[in-house]
Amino acid sequence: MSHIIQNNAFLQGPLQRVIEIYEQQVVPRLTTKNKTIGITTAVVMTLVYLIRDRVFKPPRNLRHIPYQGYYDFIKSIYTKETYWDRAHRWTLPFIDSKSSNGLYMRPGRFGYEVHVVNPEAAKKVFLKQDLFPKLDVLKGKERTLNAKFANGPNLVFLNGPHWKTQRMVANPAFHRAQPIQLFGKLTQDLFERMDRLGETADVHDLMERFTLEAIGRAGFGFEFNAIKEDNSPWVHTYNTVNAALQNPWYFLFPSLDQSLLWLSPKRQAAHRELDRFMDMLSEVIKKKRRDIASGVENKHLPDNEKDVLTLLIENEDKGEGALSDEELRSNLHILFLAGHDTTSNALSFALLYLAKYPKIQERAREEILGIMGDEPSEIVPGFDDLKQMDYLNQIIKETLRVNGPVVQVVPRVALEDTELAGTFIPKGSNVIVDVFNIQHSKKVWENPDEFDPDRFDPKSAPKQLSGGAMSWVPFGSGARQCIGMNFSLNEQRVLLSMMLRKYTWSLPEDSVHYGKIETRGLGIISPAKCHLQFKKRYQ
């Protein structure tokens, strides 16, 4: 089964033409009345290319595990069903049933994949990395946009001794690089931008600009001018690449990004933008080596702080290990994705929830004013201040539980026959810890869809039903836990605390979020149409 999906034997040139004709010619002409017919027709056209027993169904040695079929999965993609809606329509009703042990399968980029929504089984996957190493997701996909962006050996995709060597080199750098004052200065710059925008602002755009500038300056001492300039060329370049990376069709069907790339000029342009982005990072690394050699320091950080790239390069001179330029560039790409895109979405969701629930917002503000004071000035919190922000931390944790940007971890592969939750998992099976559904299962959490920061208050009655530490895994767990977790959490604490002192904010009357929070995205989710109204508490 796996080799069929990986080689995309079923994906021929005509399928790509069908997809493009359907999206460009059929969809615009569909009326509300006949949309259902049009969608069904599109799904059927796709399934014509999937008609074979080995594609429709999982491998025979996995058919004892319940699965979501290809028809339902492809229909979900065509209709642009959100991850939230798909989970609540199909996955969670099954997972929360009495008969389920928290395992299910669905089609993915590498064939049928075993999804783990059982915290105890997830613990085994996370902690037994020798049994469940990460799948080589780039093999055979080298010329796709996703593979080019990952760009070789890095902490996310490596396994074994090579990964351990990189982690040993990178750990000290990421633990030392906590530029609190820089986060505060960039928040002040963000306030100046907000002053120019008026009362209503696109929060997602603001957070993308803020986190892009933060990772540029704190990561490797580079100014994107993302906050101050409306049309920063690097903002345009990165956003173009990032949007292209989220396209589900190219992610699920790599042939569209390889042998069939000539069919899409827009996709070719995205590849050129990525080439430009990669060249820029190569120049940044070269310049950083020259600056270190000549004693030039990162002007954006205090004398006792250094950016991540500087710390990684300096490890070479200290005998703590060395990374090649290819490894440095590859890890900087991942740092961009982990330190920019996911954090910007987490902040957008947090601001959105605080707008949706004004009592929670006011309680958080009272805590921050008690810690930082209520003087009409833009005070940057210090490390000691951040440690006291108990309720704000609960809000951040609850945001990452209800709508964490990362819905699942990188696929693992079982190196030998084993079992999860009492179910036989044959050697070679692709296994994924399903973060979103663990954090929304009624077997794990009380009222899981409710936004309730008090569920993380250690003094209150527990609202977690099972799973222990493995019930909250937005950063993964075990030795492969996200290395930038503390960087991201501190960035969120600084910005949110300063926002609470400076503004009150609410949902506009035409907001789509008065019911449930509306989301978008496939592998990384973000809020849709994230506009909020802000009022200053002081000038």
Side-chain angles (χ1 to χ4, degrees), residues 187-313:
T187 302
Q188 293 170 348
D189 291 344
L190 190 73
F191 291 166
E192 293 180 7
R193 180 176 183 84
M194 293 174 68
D195 287 343
R196 302 195 302 268
L197 296 177
E199 188 175 87
T200 302
D202 182 346
V203 166
H204 190 243
D205 176 69
L206 290 174
M207 295 305 102
E208 283 190 326
R209 291 174 179 274
F210 171 79
T211 55
L212 185 60
E213 196 65 33
I215 203 64
R217 297 193 192 187
F220 37 88
F222 183 82
E223 290 186 52
F224 285 96
N225 293 316
I227 298 175
K228 294 185 177 180
E229 292 185 12
D230 291 342
N231 299 309
S232 165
W234 295 117
V235 171
H236 171 77
T237 296
Y238 185 72
N239 285 346
T240 299
V241 171
N242 198 31
L245 290 171
Q246 299 299 320
N247 187 308
W249 295 114
Y250 289 94
F251 181 79
L252 292 170
F253 303 126
S255 291
L256 298 178
D257 231 2
Q258 296 171 308
S259 59
L260 299 176
L261 181 61
W262 60 274
L263 286 171
S264 176
K266 183 178 180 181
R267 192 69 176 182
Q268 293 172 33
H271 276 261
R272 290 193 293 272
E273 287 294 304
L274 177 58
D275 291 340
R276 181 185 178 197
F277 180 72
M278 293 168 64
D279 289 342
M280 179 272 288
L281 284 187
S282 294
E283 289 302 316
V284 167
I285 293 171
K286 292 177 183 177
K287 182 177 183 302
K288 179 61 67 175
R289 289 192 184 279
R290 293 195 299 269
D291 287 347
I292 293 174
S294 58
V296 177
E297 297 182 347
N298 187 337
K299 65 180 181 180
H300 306 296
L301 300 173
D303 292 340
N304 63 336
E305 293 183 4
K306 296 179 179 180
D307 57 67
V308 174
L309 181 56
T310 295
L311 291 169
L312 289 174
I313 293 175

Side-chain angles (χ1 to χ4, degrees), residues 225-452:
N225 293 316
I227 298 175
K228 294 185 177 180
E229 292 185 12
D230 291 342
N231 299 309
S232 165
W234 295 117
V235 171
H236 171 77
T237 296
Y238 185 72
N239 285 346
T240 299
V241 171
N242 198 31
L245 290 171
Q246 299 299 320
N247 187 308
W249 295 114
Y250 289 94
F251 181 79
L252 292 170
F253 303 126
S255 291
L256 298 178
D257 231 2
Q258 296 171 308
S259 59
L260 299 176
L261 181 61
W262 60 274
L263 286 171
S264 176
K266 183 178 180 181
R267 192 69 176 182
Q268 293 172 33
H271 276 261
R272 290 193 293 272
E273 287 294 304
L274 177 58
D275 291 340
R276 181 185 178 197
F277 180 72
M278 293 168 64
D279 289 342
M280 179 272 288
L281 284 187
S282 294
E283 289 302 316
V284 167
I285 293 171
K286 292 177 183 177
K287 182 177 183 302
K288 179 61 67 175
R289 289 192 184 279
R290 293 195 299 269
D291 287 347
I292 293 174
S294 58
V296 177
E297 297 182 347
N298 187 337
K299 65 180 181 180
H300 306 296
L301 300 173
D303 292 340
N304 63 336
E305 293 183 4
K306 296 179 179 180
D307 57 67
V308 174
L309 181 56
T310 295
L311 291 169
L312 289 174
I313 293 175
E314 285 184 345
N315 281 338
E316 300 174 16
D317 300 329
K318 296 177 181 178
E320 297 176 4
L323 299 180
S324 67
D325 281 358
E326 180 189 13
E327 290 173 319
L328 286 170
R329 187 175 63 243
S330 180
N331 279 291
L332 290 186
H333 281 213
I334 297 304
L335 182 61
F336 255 94
L337 189 62
H340 160 60
D341 201 38
T342 55
T343 302
S344 68
N345 289 331
L347 282 167
S348 298
F349 278 122
L351 291 167
L352 190 50
Y353 278 114
L354 290 172
K356 187 176 173 66
Y357 300 108
K359 290 184 179 179
I360 294 177
Q361 182 185 149
E362 188 54 35
R363 182 177 164 188
R365 182 172 294 108
E366 289 175 2
E367 176 185 69
I368 297 305
L369 296 180
I371 296 170
M372 298 172 62
D374 198 12
E375 295 82 5
S377 59
E378 291 159 17
I379 298 172
V380 177
F383 267 113
D384 290 339
D385 295 327
L386 299 184
K387 294 176 183 177
Q388 300 177 58
M389 297 177 183
D390 296 332
Y391 190 60
L392 183 60
N393 284 329
Q394 291 171 209
I395 290 170
I396 292 172
K397 291 188 73 173
E398 179 69 341
T399 299
L400 291 171
R401 185 193 68 81
V402 181
N403 262 317
V406 180
V407 294
Q408 62 187 45
V409 301
V410 175
R412 267 67 166 176
V413 59
L415 290 188
E416 59 186 56
D417 290 348
T418 185
E419 63 84 24
L420 290 172
T423 297
F424 173 67
I425 305 295
K427 178 180 178 180
S429 300
N430 297 332
V431 178
I432 291 177
V433 175
D434 196 328
V435 174
F436 181 94
N437 287 304
I438 286 178
Q439 297 182 170
H440 282 268
S441 173
K442 292 179 181 178
K443 292 181 179 178
V444 180
W445 297 95
E446 179 182 318
N447 300 321
D449 292 341
E450 178 184 347
F451 185 81
D452 180 12

